[in-house]
Amino acid sequence: MTGPLAGLRILEVGHILAGPYATMLLADLGARVTKVEPPGGDLSRQVSDAYFASLNRGKRSVRVDLATAKGQEHLHELVRDADALLVNLKPSAIHRFGLTYEALRPVNERLVCVALTGWGMTAGDDPAFDYVVQAATGIAALTGDPDGPPLLPGYSSADNSAGFAGALALLAMVMSGRGGQIEVSLRDVMLSQLNYHAAAWLEEGRAPRRLGGAHAYYVPAQLFPTAEGHLALFITHDTFWHAFATEAGIEGHATMAERAARRDEVVAAVTKALAADTATGWETRLRPLRVPAAAVRTLPEALAAAPDAVVRAGPHRLVGSPFRIPGHEPHYGPPPRLGEHGDLT
């Protein structure tokens, strides 16, 4: 393996998304990632080949039954040669299988252990799947139209965000040069991402409300209908507003404070102006003015517009690493077959 993390040896124990996504990000950067899979394999293998490949390219796979004494012996053999272990299981399973730093310290004192759970290691085993966490942490309550029901994003935002956080936590502890335990929970990650909403409540007693996708502070900053399609307009500064308003023929509302105070009036004026052209037409007109705006595209359209983001990993076409490093071209290997690098059951 090549890349900035070449030589880093990581074990992964877990299923589905958050943990495997975290370690795939690290594998893309050159780490050697070995999936320690149960006899039946990571549950995501049951979803589809494409689903599994999207989270596990470039890894190794060994099959180990951690519930047996023989499996524990094999686990310790793997741990002796590892720099880090990332686990994405229920807290009780993490303890039962001896996947904590406390349990593994006698085997490898410098091992970094990351426990990626739903609610935290001391919070029990209540189900913590992505959409459940989004509902429990206020994400769903903020999403949707003011007069409609709460909604969920169309992708696994909690799992993916926790994956990034888990990868960051692992690298932070590795950089410290010492072994130890780190905990990352989906709950904590999603609450942390509600940063300014949470601060408004905690500091000012102002509860966030559903705005139909509009930003709580910036106006206008939301989706707007046009003559054809929808346009995302994100006006964060008065200079952006001046450039947009001049192009759209809108007068007044020069400051953000005024636009925030007269949100409905501003949104109505922008909606009326944008009806004069298509979403792609407005995008073309506003881009040279440096106004943040984009036509709403489908995923196939977005991928077609970004061919450099698509890579090949064995027989699979996937979205590549989000990290671009000059001089480093990631090696995108295929996802491993179950037990391909060792069947230790």
Side-chain angles (χ1 to χ4, degrees):
M1 298 295 290
T2 61
L5 298 184
L8 186 65
R9 295 157 298 184
I10 300 172
L11 301 177
E12 170 213 307
V13 180
H15 294 279
I16 304 295
L17 209 161
Y21 181 56
T23 55
M24 186 183 73
L25 292 173
L26 301 173
D28 287 343
L29 292 172
R32 188 186 76 169
V33 176
T34 301
K35 291 179 68 69
V36 181
E37 300 191 65
D42 180 336
L43 291 174
S44 66
R45 291 183 181 275
Q46 302 174 19
V47 180
S48 73
D49 288 343
Y51 187 102
F52 182 78
S54 73
L55 300 166
N56 293 286
R57 62 170 174 246
K59 300 180 185 179
R60 304 167 73 249
S61 170
V62 296
R63 193 162 69 150
V64 180
D65 188 351
L66 296 177
T68 68
K70 179 182 176 182
Q72 285 293 308
E73 291 178 7
H74 289 311
L75 170 68
H76 292 174
E77 291 171 3
L78 293 167
V79 163
R80 287 189 186 96
D81 192 42
D83 298 301
L85 166 67
L86 188 145
V87 185
N88 185 191
L89 296 172
K90 296 184 296 185
S92 65
I94 293 175
H95 286 297
R96 185 169 67 253
F97 295 141
L99 298 171
T100 64
Y101 180 72
E102 180 181 9
L104 295 172
R105 181 177 181 177
V107 181
N108 183 347
E109 188 174 7
R110 60 180 175 73
L111 184 72
V112 170
C113 292
V114 180
L116 209 168
T117 65
W119 311 109
M121 285 292 284
T122 61
D125 285 349
D126 288 343
F129 293 92
D130 186 286
Y131 283 6
V132 174
V133 174
Q134 289 193 51
T137 54
I139 306 297
L142 280 172
T143 309
D145 293 326
D147 299 325
L151 295 175
L152 294 166
Y155 79 109
S156 300
S157 65
D159 276 334
N160 282 293
S161 297
F164 263 105
L168 176 61
L170 185 151
L171 290 177
M173 197 66 181
V174 168
M175 285 293 294
S176 76
R178 61 182 187 275
Q181 181 74 55
I182 296 183
E183 296 181 25
V184 177
S185 75
L186 273 68
R187 184 205 66 173
D188 290 350
V189 169
M190 298 316 287
L191 288 176
S192 76
Q193 292 194 354
L194 291 175
N195 34 49
Y196 58 82
H197 285 300
W201 169 250
L202 295 171
E203 294 286 309
E204 304 165 0
R206 182 159 53 88
R209 57 194 179 96
R210 207 153 53 239
L211 296 171
H215 198 278
Y217 288 93
Y218 305 133
V219 180
Q222 63 187 75
L223 296 180
F224 288 94
T226 69
E228 181 181 333
H230 285 75
L231 183 79
L233 187 65
F234 203 71
I235 304 297
T236 58
H237 303 292
D238 294 339
T239 52
F240 290 153
W241 171 256
H242 177 73
F244 167 72
T246 300
E247 180 69 19
I250 302 174
E251 297 181 355
H253 314 298
T255 68
M256 181 62 74
E258 180 184 358
R259 293 193 298 278
R262 300 186 175 184
R263 178 186 290 268
D264 292 345
E265 183 180 331
V266 172
V267 169
V270 172
T271 301
K272 181 179 179 181
L274 292 180
D277 202 348
T278 66
T280 54
W282 280 112
E283 183 181 76
T284 300
R285 291 166 60 177
L286 296 175
R287 183 166 292 168
L289 304 177
R290 315 305 295 173
V291 174
V296 172
R297 290 174 170 80
T298 65
L299 177 58
E301 290 170 339
L303 291 175
D308 59 315
V310 179
V311 301
R312 185 167 291 280
H316 301 279
R317 294 178 68 237
L318 306 168
V319 174
S321 171
F323 308 114
R324 305 294 178 97
I325 303 174
H328 169 55
E329 189 66 33
H331 170 70
Y332 296 110
R337 299 185 304 275
L338 177 59
E340 178 178 349
H341 302 91
D343 189 345
L344 307 179
T345 55

